[in-house]
Amino acid sequence: MRTHESAEISSSMLDGPDWPFRILNGAPALLAYLDSEQRFLYANETHRTWLGVDPLKLIGRCLIDVIGIKNYRRASPALEQAYAGQMASYEGELFNHRERRYAHGNFQPDFDADGHVRGVFTTLVDITERRAMELQLHDSEQRFFQAFQHAAIGMALIHPDGHFLRVNTAACQMLGYREDELLALRLADITHPDDLAEDQALRTQLLRGERESYQLEKRNFHRDGHVVHVQLSVSLVRDEQGQPRYFVSQAQDICERKTFEEALHHERELAEVTLRSIGDAVITTDLQLRITSLNPIAEAMTGWASSEARDRPIGEIFQLYDALSGQLVANPLRAAIEHDTIVDLASKTLLRHRHGFDTPVEDSSAPIHDHAGNVIGGVLVFHDVSETRTLALRMIHLTQHDTLTGLPNRSQLHGQIEQALTTAARRQQRGALLYIDIDHFKQINEIHGHASGDRVLRAFAAQILSCLPGDELLSRYGGDEFVVVLPHLESVGEAASLCQRLIAACEQTSVADLPELGLRVTIGISVFPDNANEPDALLQQAETAMCAAKAQGHHSYRLFTASMNERTFARHQIETTLRLALSRNELSLYYQPKVDARSGRIAGAEALLRWHADGREMHAPNQFIPIAEDSGLILPIGAWVLQQACRQARQWQQDGHHVPISVNVSPLQFQHVDFYAWLDGVLDTCGLDPGLLELELTERMVMSGGSATTALLQQIKRRGVRLSLDDFGTGYCSLSYLRHFPIDTLKIDRAFVSDLTTDPDTATITSAIIAMARSLNKEVVAEGVETREQGEFLRLAGCSQLQGFLYGMPMTVAAFEQRLLATG
Ligand code: C2E
Ligand code: MG
Ligand code: MG
C-alpha cells in the first residue's frame, strides 16, 4: 500500500517532458559534456550557483579557456585518458571566483556507434570539507610521527600478536637494527628468554583490560647479541569498538645504571668476602667510634658477636693495655680519624678479651673515606702475635665445626643464616632453610652400635653434600638433624624439588660392612624473607614444618605455613590438659552397639574413648587421640581403656548379658615390649573370658612389624582373644596377604559404607572385598552404617555384623544397659 502511494507521488513529481533536465540541473555536482574538441556541448545549472557563470554562455567554449591553463594542466592527464577511451578521475582545486574549493572530478568517455570517443561526460563534486579534514588528520599524524620518530626514548607500536608495526630511530639505535629489519621481527625475537613470560603475562593483562599500563625492567638483545637492559612502559590503544589495536611501548636504556649497580654490588661483595676470609681481625666504626662491624676473627679475639657489638662504643669492645705497665692504651683509631691518617700501634700491647684474658696484638688503624674524600669512619686491623695463634685458629675452627662430620656446627650455622639473610635482602632475593631429620635413626644406633651410627652419619652428610653443587650450605644441627641453607631461591618449587632429590639420594646412603640401610628422611622448609627474617625463627619454623611432615607419615617434606604454628600451639595446649585428664577422671568409655546382620540383635560393643570436663566434651577422639599417641600419653590411657572395658564386659557377663567388647589399640601400645604381659595381666585380674575381648588393630600395625608382629599376634590368639582389622580398605593390606595373619574379623571402613548406595564402583569393590574375606574365613563387620539401604546392601553382600548410627550411637554404660534390657 505504502509503496504504491509513494510511487504515485514520485511519478507526479517527475511529470512532464523536462524532468530529466530538472534532475541534471538540480544535482549537487557540476555536470557537463565536452565534444571531441573539448568544447562544452552541455553544462548544468549548478555551474551558475557554484561558479557564477551562465551555463548557456559556456556552450561552444573550449575547456582550457574556461578553467584556465593552471587548472587545465592538473586535469589534463585524466582528461586525456578519457579521450583515449578509459574512465578517469582526478582531484584538484575548483576555479571559483569567491573562494578556493576542492573538487573530485570524474571523466567518462562517450562512444559513437563505431566505438570511437566522440565526447566526454564530466562530473565534478565539491569535496572541500572532506579534504580539509583529511589535511588536518594528516597534519596531526605527521606531528605525532615526528614526535614518535625523533623521541629521545625508544618507542614502538606493537601489534597484539607481537609484530612491530612502527619503531622509532632511538629504538633502532638501541637495538642496532635498521627500521625495516626491526619491522620484520617480533617482540619475542629480541626479548631475553627469561623475561619473556613476565612480559607476555603483563601484555595479556592489558589485553584483558585487567590493567591500564605496566612498567617492567627487562632484557632485550642487541643485534650483535649483547644484552640491553631497558625500563619498559607499555599501554594499549583500542579502537572505537574497544578492540585492541596496538601496544605503545616506550623503552629507556638503563644499561649504564645496571652496570653501575652491578659494579657496586660486586665491590661490596668482594669487600665482604675479603673481610670474612682475611686472616686478620677487622673492626669498623663510624665517626663517633661506634662499632659498625666485626669480622669472624675479630669476633673470636674480642669475644663479641658482630650483631651484639654493633652500635656500642669501641672502648667497650676493643680494649688495649700496655704489656709492661698494664696501663690502658689510648685507642689508636681515635687519632687516625682525628688526623685523617694511618696510625700503627706500638708493639707489646695486649688486647683484653670479653672474658678477661689478654692476647698480644699488632694493629693498624685508618680512616674510611667517602667518594668525596670525607672521613666517614674508621677501620682497625689487628692480629694475634702470640705463638698460640695457630692453636687459637684451630680452636675457632673447632668451635664452629662438628668434629664427626667436619661440617659447620650449630653456632656457625647461625652466622651463615644471618649472612644469607643480609645478602638476600640486599639483592631482593628469596632463600630457604631445609631442616632434615633422619627417620628412626635411634634404631640404627641400637641395632648396629654407636660406632656404626657415626659412620652412617658421616656417609649421610657426604650423600647430602653430593646433592648440593651450588652455594648451598650444609651444617649438622644436632644428633641426626641437618640444616641446609639455600641462600638464593628462584622459586619455592626449587626448594621442593631439591627435597625430592635429597629424599631419593639419602635412601642410597651406604656404609661398608653394614647391610642396606634404606635411610629415610623427613624435611621441613622455611622460606625467607616470606616466613621470617631472623635465624632463630626460621630454624624453628623449618623444624615445625618437619614435625608436621612427620605427623603425616615420615619420609616426606613440608613447607612451613603460619597455621602450623597455631596448630603446634593448640596441640601443646591439648597435650598439657590431657596429661591431667586421667587423674581427674575426665576420661570415660562409651559403647556403640554392633548388631547381628540377620537378627538385628546386639552382638557386641565397641568401646570408644571420650573426654568430658565440667559436663561438656573437651575434644573429639580424632583430635586428642593422635596427640596422645605422639606424646606417648596413649600408653597410660590405653592401659586404662583396656582395663575399664574388660571390667565392663565382665560385669555384663555376670549380669547375664553376653556382650563381646572391642577395644581399639594404638600402634605405640602394640609395639611396647610389655604389651602381651600387660594384656595377660588385665585378663587375669578381671577374670574375663578372653573370647569376649576383641582387639581392633589397623592394617599398618599388622603389616609393618615383620615376623615379631606375627609372633605377637599368634600369642594373643593362643590366649583366646579375638583380633580385628579396623578401618579396613584405607591402608595397603592386600587380601591375599591377610591369609598369613591370625585375624578373625575385618571392619570395612566407614568411607566405603557411606558411598555404597551412591557410587556403583564402591558398591562393586565392597561386595568383592566381603566375598573374598569370607572365602578366607574372616568375619566381616561394617562400620558407619547410617541408612537402611546401606544396612540391607551389606547384609546381602555377606556382612555378619553391622555397626553405625542406624543401630545406635556410642552411648554411656547406663544407656547401653537400658538398650540391653529393652532388646533382651
Ligand atoms: P574407629 O575405631 O574407626 O571408631 C569408629 C568411629 O566411627 C567412632 O568415632 C564412632 O563414633 C564413629 N561412628 C560410628 N558409627 C558411625 C556412623 O554411623 N556414622 C559416622 N559418621 N560415624 C560413626 P570416634 O568415637 O570419634 O573415634 C574416632 C577414632 O578414635 C576411632 O575410630 C579410633 O581409631 C579412635 N579411638 C576411639 N577410642 C579409642 C581408644 O580407646 N583407644 C584408641 N587407641 N583409639 C581410640
Ligand atoms: Mg575401632
Ligand atoms: Mg574404624
Side-chain angles (χ1 to χ4, degrees), residues 606 664 696 725-728 747-750 783 803:
E606 177 173 5
N664 292 287
E696 290 197 3
L725 264 197
D726 203 354
D727 304 337
F728 188 77
K747 262 186 117 169
I748 305 253
D749 190 65
R750 216 164 63 211
E783 64 179 332
Q803 179 185 349

Side-chain angles (χ1 to χ4, degrees), residues 769-799:
I769 293 179
I770 297 171
M772 283 165 74
R774 287 176 54 112
S775 75
L776 292 171
N777 273 333
K778 310 282 179 199
E779 258 200 74
V780 186
V781 178
E783 64 179 332
V785 184
E786 292 180 353
T787 67
R788 284 193 188 289
E789 291 96 302
Q790 291 166 351
E792 196 52 18
F793 180 99
L794 291 159
R795 186 180 67 81
L796 292 174
C799 280

